[in-house]
Amino acid sequence: MKNNHVFIEKLRSSGLRPTKQRIEICKLLFDRKDTFHFSISDLENNLENLSNKKISLATIYNTIHAFREKGYLKEISINSDKTYFDTNTSDHHHFFDESKKKLIDLNDNDLGKIKIKKILPGKKIKSVEVLVRITNDK
Amino acid sequence: MKNNHVFIEKLRSSGLRPTKQRIEICKLLFDRKDTFHFSISDLENNLENLSNKKISLATIYNTIHAFREKGYLKEISINSDKTYFDTNTSDHHHFFDESKKKLIDLNDNDLGKIKIKKILPGKKIKSVEVLVRITNDK
DNA sequence: ACACTACATTAGAATCATTATAAATTATAA
DNA sequence: TTATAATTTATAATGATTCTAATGTAGTGT
Ligand SMILES: [Mn+2]
Ligand SMILES: [Mn+2]
Ligand SMILES: [Zn+2]
Ligand SMILES: [Zn+2]
Protein backbone atom coordinates (compact mmCIF):
# COMPACT_ATOMS: atom_id res chain seq x y z
CA MET A 1 0.00 0.00 0.00
CA LYS A 2 2.07 2.89 -1.27
CA ASN A 3 1.52 6.48 -0.26
CA ASN A 4 0.08 8.79 -2.89
CA HIS A 5 3.16 10.93 -2.41
CA VAL A 6 5.26 8.29 -4.16
CA PHE A 7 3.13 8.62 -7.28
CA ILE A 8 2.97 12.40 -7.09
CA GLU A 9 6.76 12.44 -7.10
CA LYS A 10 6.96 9.88 -9.87
CA LEU A 11 4.67 11.99 -12.04
CA ARG A 12 6.32 15.32 -11.23
CA SER A 13 9.79 13.94 -11.84
CA SER A 14 8.87 13.12 -15.41
CA GLY A 15 7.07 16.36 -16.10
CA LEU A 16 3.51 15.10 -15.73
CA ARG A 17 1.18 17.05 -13.49
CA PRO A 18 -0.09 14.87 -10.68
CA THR A 19 -3.82 15.01 -11.32
CA LYS A 20 -6.26 12.89 -9.37
CA GLN A 21 -6.98 10.81 -12.45
CA ARG A 22 -3.31 10.00 -13.01
CA ILE A 23 -2.77 9.20 -9.35
CA GLU A 24 -5.79 6.92 -9.37
CA ILE A 25 -4.44 5.07 -12.40
CA CYS A 26 -0.99 4.87 -10.82
CA LYS A 27 -2.52 3.24 -7.77
CA LEU A 28 -4.19 0.59 -9.88
CA LEU A 29 -1.12 -0.07 -11.99
CA PHE A 30 1.84 0.35 -9.69
CA ASP A 31 0.61 -0.19 -6.15
CA ARG A 32 1.15 -3.93 -6.10
CA LYS A 33 3.84 -6.49 -5.67
CA ASP A 34 3.70 -8.17 -9.05
CA THR A 35 3.70 -6.70 -12.52
CA PHE A 36 0.87 -7.58 -14.85
CA HIS A 37 -0.59 -7.21 -18.32
CA PHE A 38 -3.74 -5.34 -19.21
CA SER A 39 -5.77 -3.90 -22.03
CA ILE A 40 -7.46 -0.52 -21.96
CA SER A 41 -10.81 -2.20 -21.41
CA ASP A 42 -9.40 -4.20 -18.48
CA LEU A 43 -8.22 -0.96 -16.96
CA GLU A 44 -11.53 0.72 -17.67
CA ASN A 45 -13.35 -2.07 -15.81
CA ASN A 46 -10.97 -1.98 -12.87
CA LEU A 47 -11.35 1.74 -12.57
CA GLU A 48 -15.12 1.37 -12.48
CA ASN A 49 -15.05 -1.39 -9.89
CA LEU A 50 -12.04 -1.19 -7.58
CA SER A 51 -11.93 2.57 -7.72
CA ASN A 52 -15.04 4.73 -7.37
CA LYS A 53 -14.23 7.87 -9.32
CA LYS A 54 -15.28 8.01 -12.93
CA ILE A 55 -12.45 8.68 -15.36
CA SER A 56 -13.34 9.33 -18.97
CA LEU A 57 -12.14 6.91 -21.59
CA ALA A 58 -10.24 9.68 -23.34
CA THR A 59 -8.28 10.33 -20.17
CA ILE A 60 -7.52 6.66 -19.75
CA TYR A 61 -6.04 6.58 -23.24
CA ASN A 62 -4.18 9.86 -22.70
CA THR A 63 -2.73 8.65 -19.43
CA ILE A 64 -1.65 5.24 -20.66
CA HIS A 65 0.01 6.78 -23.69
CA ALA A 66 1.78 9.32 -21.49
CA PHE A 67 2.94 6.55 -19.17
CA ARG A 68 4.19 4.52 -22.10
CA GLU A 69 6.13 7.49 -23.44
CA LYS A 70 7.67 8.07 -20.03
CA GLY A 71 8.71 4.44 -19.87
CA TYR A 72 6.33 3.37 -17.10
CA LEU A 73 4.67 0.88 -19.39
CA LYS A 74 5.57 -1.39 -22.27
CA GLU A 75 3.26 -1.96 -25.19
CA ILE A 76 2.99 -5.60 -26.24
CA SER A 77 2.47 -6.71 -29.84
CA ILE A 78 -0.18 -9.30 -30.39
CA ASN A 79 -2.17 -9.13 -33.51
CA SER A 80 -5.33 -9.20 -31.56
CA ASP A 81 -8.04 -6.61 -31.75
CA LYS A 82 -6.78 -4.76 -28.75
CA THR A 83 -3.47 -3.45 -27.53
CA TYR A 84 -1.92 -4.87 -24.38
CA PHE A 85 0.28 -3.07 -21.90
CA ASP A 86 2.76 -4.40 -19.39
CA THR A 87 3.80 -2.89 -16.08
CA ASN A 88 6.97 -4.96 -16.35
CA THR A 89 9.19 -2.64 -18.36
CA SER A 90 12.29 -4.81 -18.27
CA ASP A 91 13.43 -6.59 -21.43
CA HIS A 92 11.48 -9.81 -21.51
CA HIS A 93 9.32 -11.97 -23.71
CA HIS A 94 5.90 -13.61 -23.58
CA PHE A 95 3.67 -16.55 -23.89
CA PHE A 96 0.27 -15.62 -25.24
CA ASP A 97 -2.40 -18.04 -24.19
CA GLU A 98 -4.81 -18.04 -27.11
CA SER A 99 -7.50 -19.79 -25.08
CA LYS A 100 -7.55 -17.30 -22.24
CA LYS A 101 -6.24 -14.31 -24.22
CA LYS A 102 -3.70 -13.81 -21.47
CA LEU A 103 -0.04 -12.85 -21.59
CA ILE A 104 2.49 -14.67 -19.41
CA ASP A 105 6.03 -13.44 -18.82
CA LEU A 106 9.03 -15.41 -20.00
CA ASN A 107 12.01 -14.67 -17.81
CA ASP A 108 15.58 -14.59 -19.02
CA ASN A 109 16.17 -18.15 -17.87
CA ASP A 110 13.02 -19.35 -19.64
CA LEU A 111 14.45 -18.47 -23.01
CA GLY A 112 17.83 -18.99 -24.66
CA LYS A 113 19.76 -16.01 -25.91
CA ILE A 114 18.45 -14.45 -29.10
CA LYS A 115 21.24 -13.76 -31.57
CA ILE A 116 20.52 -11.61 -34.57
CA LYS A 117 23.21 -12.13 -37.17
CA LYS A 118 21.79 -9.98 -39.93
CA ILE A 119 22.59 -6.29 -40.02
CA LEU A 120 20.93 -3.78 -42.28
CA PRO A 121 23.07 -0.77 -43.14
CA GLY A 122 21.62 2.52 -41.95
CA LYS A 123 19.27 0.76 -39.56
CA LYS A 124 19.47 0.12 -35.87
CA ILE A 125 17.61 -2.36 -33.70
CA LYS A 126 14.95 -0.79 -31.55
CA SER A 127 13.61 -3.89 -29.86
CA VAL A 128 13.47 -7.66 -30.08
CA GLU A 129 10.17 -9.26 -29.19
CA VAL A 130 9.50 -12.97 -28.91
CA LEU A 131 5.90 -14.10 -28.72
CA VAL A 132 5.16 -17.77 -28.08
CA ARG A 133 1.56 -18.57 -28.81
CA ILE A 134 0.14 -21.43 -26.76
CA THR A 135 -3.22 -23.17 -26.63
CA ASN A 136 -4.80 -25.90 -24.61
CA ASP A 137 -3.15 -29.28 -25.11
CA LYS A 138 -4.84 -32.36 -26.61
CA MET B 1 3.79 -16.66 -65.57
CA LYS B 2 1.84 -19.57 -64.21
CA ASN B 3 -1.17 -21.08 -65.93
CA ASN B 4 -4.56 -20.47 -64.31
CA HIS B 5 -4.93 -24.22 -64.18
CA VAL B 6 -2.30 -24.38 -61.46
CA PHE B 7 -4.40 -22.17 -59.25
CA ILE B 8 -7.64 -23.92 -60.12
CA GLU B 9 -6.06 -27.16 -58.96
CA LYS B 10 -4.61 -25.55 -55.87
CA LEU B 11 -8.02 -24.24 -54.89
CA ARG B 12 -9.92 -27.42 -55.71
CA SER B 13 -7.43 -29.57 -53.87
CA SER B 14 -8.16 -27.73 -50.65
CA GLY B 15 -11.90 -27.65 -51.09
CA LEU B 16 -12.24 -24.09 -52.32
CA ARG B 17 -14.25 -23.48 -55.44
CA PRO B 18 -12.13 -21.84 -58.11
CA THR B 19 -14.02 -18.62 -58.64
CA LYS B 20 -12.65 -15.89 -60.87
CA GLN B 21 -12.09 -13.68 -57.83
CA ARG B 22 -10.01 -16.30 -56.06
CA ILE B 23 -8.01 -17.04 -59.18
CA GLU B 24 -7.35 -13.35 -59.70
CA ILE B 25 -6.08 -13.03 -56.13
CA CYS B 26 -3.96 -16.16 -56.53
CA LYS B 27 -2.33 -14.63 -59.57
CA LEU B 28 -1.38 -11.53 -57.66
CA LEU B 29 -0.13 -13.41 -54.63
CA PHE B 30 1.44 -16.58 -55.95
CA ASP B 31 2.43 -15.93 -59.55
CA ARG B 32 5.89 -14.58 -58.79
CA LYS B 33 9.35 -15.72 -57.93
CA ASP B 34 9.74 -14.13 -54.50
CA THR B 35 7.47 -14.21 -51.52
CA PHE B 36 6.33 -10.92 -50.03
CA HIS B 37 4.37 -9.22 -47.29
CA PHE B 38 1.18 -7.26 -47.74
CA SER B 39 -1.76 -5.71 -45.97
CA ILE B 40 -5.35 -5.93 -47.13
CA SER B 41 -5.18 -2.35 -48.38
CA ASP B 42 -2.00 -3.14 -50.35
CA LEU B 43 -3.83 -6.01 -51.97
CA GLU B 44 -6.90 -3.88 -52.61
CA ASN B 45 -4.74 -1.32 -54.41
CA ASN B 46 -2.94 -3.94 -56.48
CA LEU B 47 -6.22 -5.50 -57.51
CA GLU B 48 -7.47 -2.13 -58.66
CA ASN B 49 -4.32 -1.32 -60.59
CA LEU B 50 -2.56 -4.41 -61.88
CA SER B 51 -5.77 -6.33 -62.36
CA ASN B 52 -8.84 -4.82 -63.98
CA LYS B 53 -11.76 -6.68 -62.46
CA LYS B 54 -13.40 -5.17 -59.41
CA ILE B 55 -13.47 -7.44 -56.39
CA SER B 56 -15.46 -6.31 -53.39
CA LEU B 57 -13.63 -5.64 -50.16
CA ALA B 58 -15.71 -8.32 -48.42
CA THR B 59 -14.49 -10.90 -50.91
CA ILE B 60 -10.89 -9.80 -50.44
CA TYR B 61 -11.22 -10.37 -46.70
CA ASN B 62 -13.07 -13.66 -47.18
CA THR B 63 -10.47 -14.92 -49.62
CA ILE B 64 -7.45 -13.93 -47.56
CA HIS B 65 -8.94 -15.53 -44.48
CA ALA B 66 -9.73 -18.68 -46.42
CA PHE B 67 -6.18 -18.77 -47.80
CA ARG B 68 -4.76 -18.29 -44.33
CA GLU B 69 -6.87 -21.14 -42.98
CA LYS B 70 -5.72 -23.39 -45.81
CA GLY B 71 -2.12 -22.50 -45.03
CA TYR B 72 -1.41 -20.48 -48.16
CA LEU B 73 -0.65 -17.42 -46.10
CA LYS B 74 0.82 -16.55 -42.74
CA GLU B 75 -0.54 -13.75 -40.60
CA ILE B 76 2.15 -11.56 -39.06
CA SER B 77 1.81 -9.91 -35.67
CA ILE B 78 2.77 -6.29 -35.49
CA ASN B 79 0.88 -4.06 -33.20
CA SER B 80 0.19 -1.72 -36.00
CA ASP B 81 -3.22 -0.62 -37.08
CA LYS B 82 -3.42 -3.16 -39.81
CA THR B 83 -2.78 -6.85 -40.19
CA TYR B 84 0.01 -8.08 -42.43
CA PHE B 85 0.12 -11.28 -44.39
CA ASP B 86 3.05 -13.23 -45.76
CA THR B 87 3.18 -15.47 -48.81
CA ASN B 88 6.22 -17.12 -47.23
CA THR B 89 4.57 -19.77 -45.09
CA SER B 90 7.77 -21.39 -43.86
CA ASP B 91 8.83 -20.92 -40.24
CA HIS B 92 10.74 -17.68 -40.18
CA HIS B 93 11.02 -14.39 -38.38
CA HIS B 94 11.02 -10.70 -39.23
CA PHE B 95 12.54 -7.31 -39.08
CA PHE B 96 9.92 -4.59 -39.04
CA ASP B 97 11.22 -1.33 -40.40
CA GLU B 98 9.33 1.27 -38.40
CA SER B 99 10.33 4.02 -40.80
CA LYS B 100 9.03 2.35 -43.92
CA LYS B 101 6.40 0.16 -42.24
CA LYS B 102 7.85 -2.77 -44.12
CA LEU B 103 8.53 -6.35 -43.06
CA ILE B 104 11.79 -8.04 -43.99
CA ASP B 105 12.39 -11.78 -43.68
CA LEU B 106 14.96 -13.18 -41.32
CA ASN B 107 16.23 -16.49 -42.59
CA ASP B 108 17.28 -19.37 -40.37
CA ASN B 109 20.92 -18.38 -40.63
CA ASP B 110 20.12 -14.77 -39.72
CA LEU B 111 18.92 -15.80 -36.30
CA GLY B 112 20.26 -18.17 -33.65
CA LYS B 113 18.10 -21.02 -32.42
CA ILE B 114 15.27 -20.02 -30.12
CA LYS B 115 15.08 -22.30 -27.10
CA ILE B 116 12.02 -22.15 -24.89
CA LYS B 117 12.80 -23.74 -21.56
CA LYS B 118 9.54 -23.04 -19.81
CA ILE B 119 6.67 -25.48 -20.15
CA LEU B 120 3.13 -24.85 -19.03
CA PRO B 121 1.16 -27.98 -18.11
CA GLY B 122 -1.89 -28.53 -20.30
CA LYS B 123 -0.62 -26.10 -22.92
CA LYS B 124 1.13 -26.66 -26.20
CA ILE B 125 3.15 -24.26 -28.29
CA LYS B 126 1.36 -23.13 -31.41
CA SER B 127 3.98 -20.79 -32.82
CA VAL B 128 7.10 -18.84 -31.96
CA GLU B 129 7.38 -15.40 -33.49
CA VAL B 130 10.36 -13.10 -33.27
CA LEU B 131 9.90 -9.51 -34.34
CA VAL B 132 12.93 -7.24 -34.49
CA ARG B 133 11.92 -3.62 -34.76
CA ILE B 134 14.39 -1.42 -36.60
CA THR B 135 14.55 2.27 -37.42
CA ASN B 136 16.85 4.56 -39.28
CA ASP B 137 20.27 4.84 -37.69
CA LYS B 138 21.60 7.94 -35.86
C1' DA C 1 -4.89 35.43 -2.32
C1' DC C 2 -5.38 36.52 -7.37
C1' DA C 3 -4.73 36.19 -12.03
C1' DC C 4 -2.59 33.99 -15.88
C1' DT C 5 -1.48 30.37 -18.70
C1' DA C 6 -0.25 26.05 -20.13
C1' DC C 7 -1.59 21.58 -19.27
C1' DA C 8 -5.29 18.18 -18.56
C1' DT C 9 -9.96 16.24 -18.59
C1' DT C 10 -14.13 15.35 -20.83
C1' DA C 11 -18.23 14.04 -23.79
C1' DG C 12 -19.01 13.16 -27.86
C1' DA C 13 -17.93 12.75 -32.75
C1' DA C 14 -14.95 10.88 -36.24
C1' DT C 15 -11.94 7.39 -38.08
C1' DC C 16 -10.85 3.18 -39.91
C1' DA C 17 -9.86 -1.71 -40.07
C1' DT C 18 -12.51 -5.49 -39.74
C1' DT C 19 -16.75 -8.33 -39.41
C1' DA C 20 -21.64 -9.22 -40.03
C1' DT C 21 -25.91 -9.31 -42.86
C1' DA C 22 -28.77 -10.76 -46.16
C1' DA C 23 -29.85 -10.74 -50.96
C1' DA C 24 -28.12 -11.98 -55.58
C1' DT C 25 -25.02 -14.92 -58.14
C1' DT C 26 -22.46 -18.97 -59.36
C1' DA C 27 -20.13 -23.59 -59.12
C1' DT C 28 -21.00 -28.19 -58.90
C1' DA C 29 -23.43 -32.46 -58.28
C1' DA C 30 -27.60 -35.07 -59.09
C1' DT D 1 -31.24 -29.01 -66.36
C1' DT D 2 -32.33 -28.39 -61.70
C1' DA D 3 -31.25 -28.26 -57.12
C1' DT D 4 -28.22 -27.09 -53.51
C1' DA D 5 -24.71 -25.17 -51.20
C1' DA D 6 -20.93 -22.11 -51.66
C1' DT D 7 -19.61 -17.55 -52.88
C1' DT D 8 -19.85 -12.72 -53.93
C1' DT D 9 -21.48 -8.33 -53.01
C1' DA D 10 -23.18 -3.77 -51.29
C1' DT D 11 -23.95 -2.07 -47.29
C1' DA D 12 -24.43 -1.73 -42.37
C1' DA D 13 -22.54 -2.66 -37.93
C1' DT D 14 -18.81 -3.10 -34.70
C1' DG D 15 -15.26 -1.70 -31.81
C1' DA D 16 -10.84 0.03 -30.67
C1' DT D 17 -8.63 4.16 -31.03
C1' DT D 18 -8.07 9.08 -32.06
C1' DC D 19 -9.75 13.74 -32.63
C1' DT D 20 -12.20 18.01 -31.28
C1' DA D 21 -13.31 21.73 -28.88
C1' DA D 22 -15.20 23.20 -24.64
C1' DT D 23 -14.36 23.21 -19.73
C1' DG D 24 -11.49 22.53 -15.68
C1' DT D 25 -7.19 22.66 -13.02
C1' DA D 26 -2.21 22.87 -11.46
C1' DG D 27 1.68 25.54 -11.19
C1' DT D 28 3.87 30.20 -11.54
C1' DG D 29 4.41 34.74 -10.71
C1' DT D 30 2.49 39.00 -8.74
MN1 LIG E 1 -6.79 -10.25 -36.66
MN1 LIG F 1 -1.06 1.05 -31.39
ZN1 LIG G 1 5.35 -9.02 -19.55
ZN1 LIG H 1 8.07 -13.18 -44.02
Side-chain angles (χ1 to χ4, degrees), chain A residues 113-131:
Chain A
K113 272 267 173 298
I114 313 284
K115 276 199 253 335
I116 291 133
K117 299 170 188 166
K118 187 177 194 176
I119 293 186
L120 296 186
K123 302 286 178 184
K124 67 160 183 285
I125 291 176
K126 218 179 124 191
S127 71
V128 177
E129 300 162 34
V130 180
L131 186 69

Side-chain angles (χ1 to χ4, degrees), chain A residues 77 122-123 126 129 133 136, chain B residues 77 123 126 129 133 136:
Chain A
S77 297
K123 302 286 178 184
K126 218 179 124 191
E129 300 162 34
R133 290 178 194 276
N136 290 336
Chain B
S77 296
K123 302 287 177 183
K126 218 180 125 192
E129 300 162 34
R133 290 178 194 276
N136 289 335

Side-chain angles (χ1 to χ4, degrees), chain B residues 38-113:
Chain B
F38 66 94
S39 65
I40 294 286
S41 58
D42 292 338
L43 180 54
E44 203 184 356
N45 291 335
N46 284 343
L47 284 167
E48 270 177 23
N49 304 338
L50 308 190
S51 171
N52 294 37
K53 3 271 176 187
K54 283 151 208 164
I55 300 183
S56 83
L57 186 54
T59 298
I60 297 176
Y61 273 98
N62 289 342
T63 302
I64 293 309
H65 289 155
F67 285 6
R68 181 197 50 200
E69 272 144 36
K70 296 302 181 183
Y72 300 164
L73 294 173
K74 255 183 98 161
E75 191 172 338
I76 308 294
S77 296
I78 313 165
N79 217 1
S80 161
D81 325 291
K82 45 180 76 170
T83 300
Y84 286 80
F85 295 90
D86 196 340
T87 63
N88 178 355
T89 56
S90 75
D91 259 323
H92 69 284
H93 303 287
H94 295 94
F95 278 128
F96 183 62
D97 186 333
E98 303 262 10
S99 319
K100 292 191 203 155
K101 302 280 179 214
K102 274 283 172 201
L103 281 161
I104 301 162
D105 277 357
L106 277 169
N107 301 317
D108 262 344
N109 28 351
D110 295 330
L111 195 64
K113 272 266 175 298

